[in-house]
Amino acid sequence: MSAPPVSIEDFNAALKEIGERYSKLKIDDQFVLWFLRAFITESEETALHAVSGGARDKGIDALLIDDDFKTVFIVQGKYHSTLGEKSEKRADVISFAEVIHQLADPDEKTFSEYVESVEPLVKKQLKLARERIHKRDYQVKMYFVTLGKVSEGIQKDADTLAMKSDSKDLNFEVIHARRLMLIFKDYLDGVAPPIPTLDLEMEASPSVTVNSVSQRYDGGNNIESWVFSMSGDKVAGLYTLAGIRLFARNIRGFLGESTAINKGMIATLKTEPDRFFYYNNGITLLCDEAIKKSHKGRDILHVSNPQVINGQQTTRTLANNIDLARKASVLVKVIQVTRDETKPQHQFDSLVSRIVAGTNWQNSIRPSDLMANDRIQIELERSLRKLGYGYLRKRQKKSEARAIFGAKHYRWIKKEEFAQI
């Protein structure tokens, strides 16, 4: 089932809900808080602490330091009540791009002069960020986020300016209205925050010869696909790195190792790991973009915004048996569906729904499973959580649900039980 299109009214309704909970935040800060939650962190509390909006903030509306991923996130947000109508000023975008020069400049005196007039909270965060960048080699991701529009010329100039800094690993990105609506749609669909990128390392070993990778381009549907094999431990590593977010578009959670299929996988890993490739259906990933490249003698498919839409049981079973997984090979299919920001998303939604439903048949599917990612189900989960209920919209183990919902005590209710009520 395709989800309905989203509008600026839908987006403002989401901000209103944030404003009801954080009434002291101005609308601009509510906008930035939403972006942090939708695109950068799963924790709303972490996002709230990162919001820094003020009169003396050097254009930095949020600064978040993620020590797990060794990344400094810096955000400037521009809220508008209309969508894609307001043009952003060149000076605002360029001055934001210049922030990285101050953080990356090795001259401590220059930096001290730069932060001298900055409000205390932002100054503290900037000093912590600078320490991470210079002494711990943290990467920097900067986002200029707007509900308006930014000309291509301004975007190019700001990107060029940012890249001239001394930062070793920097990503500067302008997210304008059309792109932001795609992020908002993913947020409503439960894919928030997304996984920016993953590297899929293609199999290569003394005992296995891979002559080429199957690459297919469908010009009629503008879909490109790759088929190749990966070693089991590399597949397991995707979950280790990305976590449960990797399966947000999947219609089920992890069913545990007690199901017949998952028991069979473990048995194969123990007794015939060299035949795992032949007995298992493999995994299917959906992504926005895929680029094949080589690095230090390894062939890699670099994928953006990846989602495992079939193969969660395989991936999780391999991750839970990592020593055995090293001896196995896994069939991998990657489907790149480029989303055109200027076109309606119903075709993308329909395609994803059909792929998910059509490829998830190794463990039995119930009709209710196919509705697990419906937007209404996702909103029910979020709303009931605020009331102290853990709403189980996906079929999964209770321990899995507890890990997703966090340490707070919830009263659990399955979607079938909720429907009966």
Side-chain angles (χ1 to χ4, degrees):
M1 178 182 293
S2 298
V6 295
S7 66
I8 186 63
E9 289 76 20
D10 297 322
F11 186 79
N12 284 329
L15 289 191
K16 182 180 179 181
E17 193 273 334
I18 291 177
E20 289 172 350
R21 287 184 287 116
Y22 304 107
S23 57
K24 293 183 179 180
L25 289 182
K26 296 179 180 178
I27 186 66
D28 301 271
D29 294 330
Q30 294 170 20
F31 173 58
V32 172
L33 173 59
W34 173 84
F35 174 76
L36 291 172
R37 171 60 188 86
F39 199 71
I40 294 175
T41 176
E42 292 179 282
S43 169
E44 189 169 272
E45 183 179 359
T46 299
L48 183 64
H49 289 159
V51 175
S52 57
R56 296 179 292 124
D57 58 12
K58 295 291 186 179
I60 300 171
D61 294 327
L63 197 158
L64 190 154
I65 299 173
D66 190 324
D67 291 315
D68 291 333
F69 287 92
K70 300 187 67 175
T71 302
V72 173
F73 296 96
I74 305 174
V75 177
Q76 181 174 151
K78 297 290 185 181
Y79 171 79
H80 305 292
S81 58
T82 57
L83 186 65
E85 296 181 10
K86 173 80 172 178
S87 295
E88 300 300 344
K89 298 176 182 178
R90 175 185 175 83
D92 289 340
V93 184
I94 296 299
S95 63
F96 180 60
E98 289 175 343
V99 170
I100 187 57
H101 289 269
Q102 302 298 330
L103 287 173
D105 192 331
D107 189 339
E108 184 65 37
K109 182 179 179 181
T110 301
F111 175 74
S112 296
E113 292 174 352
Y114 174 73
V115 299
E116 184 176 356
S117 61
V118 176
E119 67 166 24
L121 176 61
V122 179
K123 181 187 292 187
K124 178 181 178 181
Q125 288 294 90
L126 284 170
K127 287 183 176 180
L128 290 173
R130 178 179 167 82
E131 184 272 337
R132 299 296 200 281
I133 294 168
H134 284 274
K135 296 184 179 180
R136 308 192 199 181
D137 292 327
Y138 276 35
Q139 61 179 325
V140 181
K141 293 186 180 294
M142 301 183 65
Y143 299 104
F144 185 95
V145 188
T146 176
L147 278 166
K149 56 186 177 181
V150 180
S151 71
E152 290 186 9
I154 294 176
Q155 290 186 55
K156 183 177 180 181
D157 291 346
D159 186 62
T160 301
L161 175 62
M163 292 303 172
K164 288 182 179 178
S165 74
D166 293 326
S167 179
K168 298 176 183 177
D169 194 348
L170 168 69
N171 177 69
F172 181 90
E173 188 172 353
V174 173
I175 297 180
H176 50 64
R178 292 195 305 271
R179 171 79 189 286
L180 197 66
M181 285 299 99
L182 291 181
I183 295 172
F184 178 53
K185 184 188 169 304
D186 282 348
Y187 169 79
L188 293 178
D189 291 342
V191 189
I195 301 164
T197 60
L198 284 176
D199 285 336
L200 311 182
E201 184 177 336
M202 299 173 187
E203 185 178 30
S205 70
S207 60
V208 176
T209 301
V210 181
N211 292 324
S212 63
V213 173
S214 175
Q215 184 174 358
R216 178 181 185 269
Y217 176 66
D218 175 0
N221 291 298
N222 191 26
I223 298 174
E224 195 160 8
S225 306
W226 290 261
V227 179
F228 53 91
S229 61
M230 293 178 61
S231 64
D233 60 322
K234 298 299 182 184
V235 171
L238 301 179
Y239 171 67
T240 303
L241 183 63
I244 196 67
R245 286 187 293 163
L246 188 59
F247 313 107
R249 290 194 186 276
N250 210 292
I251 58 178
R252 286 177 303 222
F254 183 51
L255 301 177
E257 296 186 342
S258 61
T259 67
I261 295 295
N262 293 354
K263 281 183 177 179
M265 279 194 278
I266 296 173
T268 300
L269 288 172
K270 290 179 177 179
T271 61
E272 301 177 283
D274 56 320
R275 296 186 178 182
F276 189 87
F277 180 87
Y278 310 110
Y279 299 163
N280 184 267
N281 285 345
I283 67 173
T284 301
L285 289 98
L286 191 75
C287 68
D288 289 347
E289 183 181 42
I291 301 173
K292 185 176 179 294
K293 61 182 183 179
S294 296
H295 179 68
K296 296 182 178 179
R298 299 175 298 152
D299 288 330
I300 292 171
L301 194 67
H302 184 76
V303 293
S304 301
N305 194 13
Q307 281 286 303
V308 172
I309 57 174
N310 176 44
Q312 176 173 189
Q313 311 307 316
T314 295
T315 306
R316 300 286 296 275
T317 298
L318 290 168
N320 290 342
N321 299 272
I322 190 68
D323 291 336
L324 300 174
R326 294 188 178 92
K327 301 177 182 179
S329 299
V330 182
L331 180 67
V332 177
K333 179 165 66 175
V334 176
I335 303 173
Q336 174 188 296
V337 182
T338 303
R339 289 190 282 179
D340 190 334
E341 299 165 350
T342 65
K343 295 181 181 179
Q345 292 299 297
H346 66 277
Q347 292 180 335
F348 173 81
D349 296 331
S350 177
L351 175 66
V352 172
S353 297
R354 288 176 178 270
I355 293 174
V356 170
T359 57
N360 279 275
W361 292 104
Q362 192 167 11
N363 282 287
S364 62
I365 288 181
R366 300 171 184 171
S368 60
D369 289 334
L370 298 176
M371 299 302 295
N373 288 335
D374 182 83
R375 193 173 290 169
I376 293 176
Q377 294 295 317
I378 294 166
E379 185 56 37
L380 281 172
E381 179 190 302
R382 288 174 175 158
S383 298
L384 287 168
R385 187 182 299 194
K386 297 169 191 172
L387 300 175
Y389 287 91
Y391 181 58
L392 303 175
R393 62 182 172 90
K394 292 186 179 183
R395 189 154 48 102
Q396 59 191 326
K397 293 177 63 181
K398 278 278 183 71
S399 59
E400 177 85 352
R402 292 190 186 98
I404 295 171
F405 277 68
K408 183 179 176 180
H409 177 72
Y410 289 96
R411 288 169 286 178
W412 300 101
I413 182 168
K414 297 178 180 179
K415 61 178 179 287
E416 293 84 0
E417 296 170 335
F418 193 69
Q420 291 170 350
I421 294 172

